[in-house]
Amino acid sequence: MVGADRTVEFFFDFGSPASYLAYTQLPAIAQATGATIAWRPMLLGGVFKATGNASPAALPAKARWMAGDLRMWAKRYGVAFTMNPHFPINTLALMRGAVGLQLRRPEGFAHYVETIFDAMWARPRDLGDPTVIASTLAAAGIDAAAVAAMTAEPDVKAALAAVTEEAVARGVFGAPTMFVGERMFFGQDRLEFVREALAAGGSAG
């Protein structure tokens, strides 16, 4: 039976390439372990501000290493990956769009997530530009005007802020971060530990 310990909470931001890599693998892990995924879109910039952390892009040596490391993992997973030349991108509108769909049109959430991750890290586009966001969504058959309207709604803004604040309160400092019960796993390179925790029902210590 799928219960609290058979759920993996996935705190993510589209601007995080490691979140993209985790996204490509997590559904198969959930299926193999009989678990469900609780999608928790958060604003990574808000997490960084609250915790004093910073994007790897702020440190050139780390940024160069990270680009190679991400390509290595993408090859291991067998997924498309191209470092977005516009990185880092302000993802506030994108994350509000995700939250808006969760609240207003949950049936469209998965397609939106797939579309944005693909346009960010598989076939990179400048998703910091509202016109590019609109054309990307329209090309995927998503009502771009409706999504844009959602991003301006007060309860959508508040919901994204609330998840971001919750993440920080629970110890999140970067993305992706996953929880199985109260056990926290940071980084896409911790997915095997997530798999083990889910398979054990969250009881492994």
Side-chain angles (χ1 to χ4, degrees), residues 13-183:
D13 185 304
F14 294 120
S16 159
S19 288
Y20 161 70
L21 291 178
Y23 159 78
T24 67
Q25 304 303 300
L26 203 54
I29 290 173
Q31 182 177 22
T33 56
T36 57
I37 302 171
W39 301 89
R40 310 299 307 278
M42 66 178 185
L43 189 63
L44 187 54
V47 171
F48 284 165
K49 183 176 180 180
T51 62
N53 197 2
S55 168
L59 184 62
K62 187 173 184 180
R64 286 192 299 271
W65 170 85
M66 184 185 76
D69 190 65
L70 292 167
R71 285 193 294 269
M72 180 174 65
W73 279 102
K75 183 177 180 180
R76 170 68 59 86
Y77 295 147
V79 298
F81 174 78
T82 301
M83 196 68 192
N84 195 310
H86 306 287
F87 176 80
I89 288 173
N90 185 328
T91 58
L92 179 59
L94 300 174
M95 302 318 298
R96 284 179 176 169
V99 171
L101 284 164
Q102 278 189 318
L103 293 176
R104 300 281 189 272
R105 301 182 183 180
E107 70 282 358
F109 175 77
H111 183 44
Y112 175 86
V113 170
E114 179 183 24
T115 298
I116 297 301
F117 266 135
D118 181 80
M120 186 73 81
W121 301 114
R123 291 172 287 185
R125 305 191 71 192
D126 182 6
L127 295 184
D129 183 337
T131 61
V132 176
I133 295 173
S135 64
T136 298
L137 294 179
I142 298 170
D143 188 336
V147 172
M150 290 177 198
T151 67
E153 295 177 1
D155 60 334
V156 170
K157 295 179 180 180
L160 177 60
V163 173
T164 303
E165 290 166 5
E166 177 194 340
V168 171
R170 293 174 67 181
V172 173
F173 54 86
T177 298
M178 292 146 285
F179 286 89
V180 178
E182 291 306 311
R183 297 180 61 202

